[in-house]
Amino acid sequence: MPQIEPLYNKYVMHIELLRNENILTETNNDYICPICLRKFSKEQISSLSLEDAPQDSLGGHKIAITCKDCNNSCGHIIDIHLVNFLKRLDEIDFVEGSTRRIEIPDNGRKINAMLEVGNNKELKVILPQKINNPQWLQEHINNIKEGNIIDIKNQRVDIDMKKVSTAILKNAYIILFSHFGYSFLLDKHYDRIREQIKNPSRYIVPDLWTKQPINMQNGIYLSNDNRHRGFFIIYTCQYKTARKHHFCCFIPTPLMPYEFAYHFFDEYQPNTPMYMQTLNGDFFTNEKNIKALNKWVYSWDMKLKY
């Protein structure tokens, strides 16, 4: 497990470099939470925590730092909806290895159970005593006969699709931050993303993501096409089963309004080619890379070279 202090020092040195290059006007080297933008000195490092993107339960890794308040609120308010969303997709398709809570109607009573999907979609019903009335459960078991048809009902799972979208956006934003740091993400243009993360039920940023099959490796890509000038973040989530869920989220440059980008993607036709290029290199300590990146972010029709 990575330690927080080396990562903290990496970002603080990055801030100092950006300040020396007149990219940032910060007066000190305090760490800035990428979500709430509060500052934290080295003495306040205990108020910070490592951030997973995507979350650890979906196969993610600790790649950045946020304050504990933002980390905890995202986990309880946003991330759980993405977990439930992917869990429900696995359930709908009866993916091997998936499990779900179910209810079995029984003469006006309700028996709580678990349904497991095994090899060749073989189904197994488990009747735990601790989540049932013991007397009702025993009577239900005694009445089961070979060849009986059992009615089952999925238990309700809390899924708010706007919070799902916010979780997908938050993961992409943190991945972008882990790769580029503060070089351009402190621009006020991204305040809307930060507000969306802090207010996940509101419609602050349109949904700029897809779960359609993407024949590209995980990573950050960019396009010089001014209709979608920005960053494509592709990453994978996996919930307990062998099935992988691929997401592609678009985060525009400060020159492109979110609604313009949404309008383009809303009219985008399947199988229409979209040309993207990979973006590799050190954008924390390499001054040449940082300057080239910022020049590309704040300009049109220019290729990024470093």
Side-chain angles (χ1 to χ4, degrees):
M1 176 178 174
Q3 298 296 313
I4 193 169
E5 188 168 343
L7 198 54
Y8 177 96
N9 293 335
K10 175 184 176 181
Y11 278 99
V12 166
M13 292 176 60
H14 177 61
I15 290 174
E16 183 178 5
L17 174 62
L18 295 178
R19 191 178 67 245
N20 292 338
E21 295 296 325
N22 296 316
I23 296 173
L24 283 186
T25 58
E26 297 297 321
T27 58
N28 54 43
N29 289 353
D30 290 345
Y31 183 83
I32 305 170
C33 174
I35 296 176
C36 67
L37 300 188
R38 287 189 295 162
K39 298 177 182 179
F40 297 85
S41 67
K42 190 67 171 287
E43 291 70 29
Q44 298 171 303
I45 198 170
S46 61
S47 297
L48 300 171
S49 61
L50 294 167
E51 179 76 31
D52 308 289
Q55 51 266 49
D56 180 67
S57 60
L58 296 180
H61 303 284
K62 301 183 186 303
I63 58 174
I65 303 172
T66 59
C67 71
K68 287 184 177 179
D69 289 342
C70 288
N71 194 322
N72 292 335
S73 62
C74 286
H76 295 307
I77 301 174
I78 305 174
D79 293 344
I80 187 60
H81 289 268
L82 178 57
V83 171
N84 288 343
F85 173 63
L86 299 183
K87 183 175 185 294
R88 178 49 52 89
L89 292 180
D90 285 349
E91 292 174 0
I92 290 173
D93 293 337
F94 287 87
V95 175
E96 181 181 330
S98 63
T99 62
R100 73 190 77 181
R101 284 179 172 254
I102 60 173
E103 299 174 0
I104 304 174
D106 183 44
N107 296 321
R109 300 170 176 174
K110 180 183 71 175
I111 304 298
N112 298 308
M114 298 292 296
L115 182 69
E116 291 185 355
V117 181
N119 297 332
N120 300 316
K121 297 191 183 298
E122 177 182 307
L123 302 180
K124 180 180 180 181
V125 175
I126 302 173
L127 302 169
Q129 186 171 5
K130 63 181 180 180
I131 59 174
N132 281 291
N133 180 303
Q135 181 180 343
W136 294 359
L137 178 61
Q138 190 58 53
E139 291 176 359
H140 175 77
I141 294 173
N142 293 339
N143 290 330
I144 295 177
K145 306 297 182 185
E146 185 176 352
N148 282 5
I149 296 177
I150 301 175
D151 293 328
I152 63 173
K153 177 182 178 182
N154 288 331
Q155 289 192 355
R156 182 182 178 276
V157 177
D158 189 16
I159 302 174
D160 181 324
M161 282 308 299
K162 188 54 187 177
K163 291 183 179 179
V164 171
S165 294
T166 300
I168 294 169
L169 174 66
K170 187 263 293 184
N171 287 334
Y173 174 75
I174 293 297
I175 291 171
L176 202 63
F177 174 69
S178 73
H179 199 74
F180 299 126
Y182 301 101
S183 297
F184 59 90
L185 283 174
L186 290 181
D187 192 291
K188 290 186 178 298
H189 180 72
Y190 300 106
D191 285 349
R192 288 180 64 181
I193 290 181
R194 291 183 276 266
E195 284 301 311
Q196 182 68 73
I197 295 171
K198 291 185 289 184
N199 300 278
S201 295
R202 293 173 55 193
Y203 285 79
I204 300 171
V205 177
D207 298 337
L208 293 172
W209 62 274
T210 180
K211 197 182 172 300
Q212 298 300 317
I214 302 167
N215 189 25
M216 298 181 70
Q217 293 183 345
N218 289 351
I220 298 173
Y221 300 84
L222 57 83
S223 168
N224 285 312
D225 190 326
N226 290 339
R227 295 172 300 170
H228 43 81
R229 192 170 181 82
F231 301 91
F232 294 85
I233 299 94
I234 299 175
Y235 63 91
T236 299
C237 293
Q238 187 173 0
Y239 179 78
K240 292 186 178 180
T241 66
R243 186 187 194 185
K244 294 181 179 180
H245 302 270
H246 302 281
F247 291 96
C248 177
C249 186
F250 178 72
I251 295 182
T253 66
L255 299 178
M256 171 167 283
Y258 294 94
E259 286 71 21
F260 182 87
Y262 177 78
H263 177 74
F264 170 77
F265 285 106
D266 191 46
E267 295 186 344
Y268 187 79
Q269 297 297 317
N271 301 318
T272 300
M274 184 180 293
Y275 300 100
M276 295 184 283
Q277 64 186 81
T278 57
L279 193 60
N280 299 309
D282 172 20
F283 293 91
F284 273 80
T285 63
N286 189 303
E287 298 176 26
K288 182 181 177 181
N289 288 356
I290 293 171
K291 288 180 179 178
L293 173 67
N294 277 266
K295 187 175 182 180
W296 181 85
V297 165
Y298 290 103
S299 63
W300 296 103
D301 295 321
M302 296 180 64
K303 293 184 178 180
L304 178 64
K305 296 180 179 180
Y306 54 90

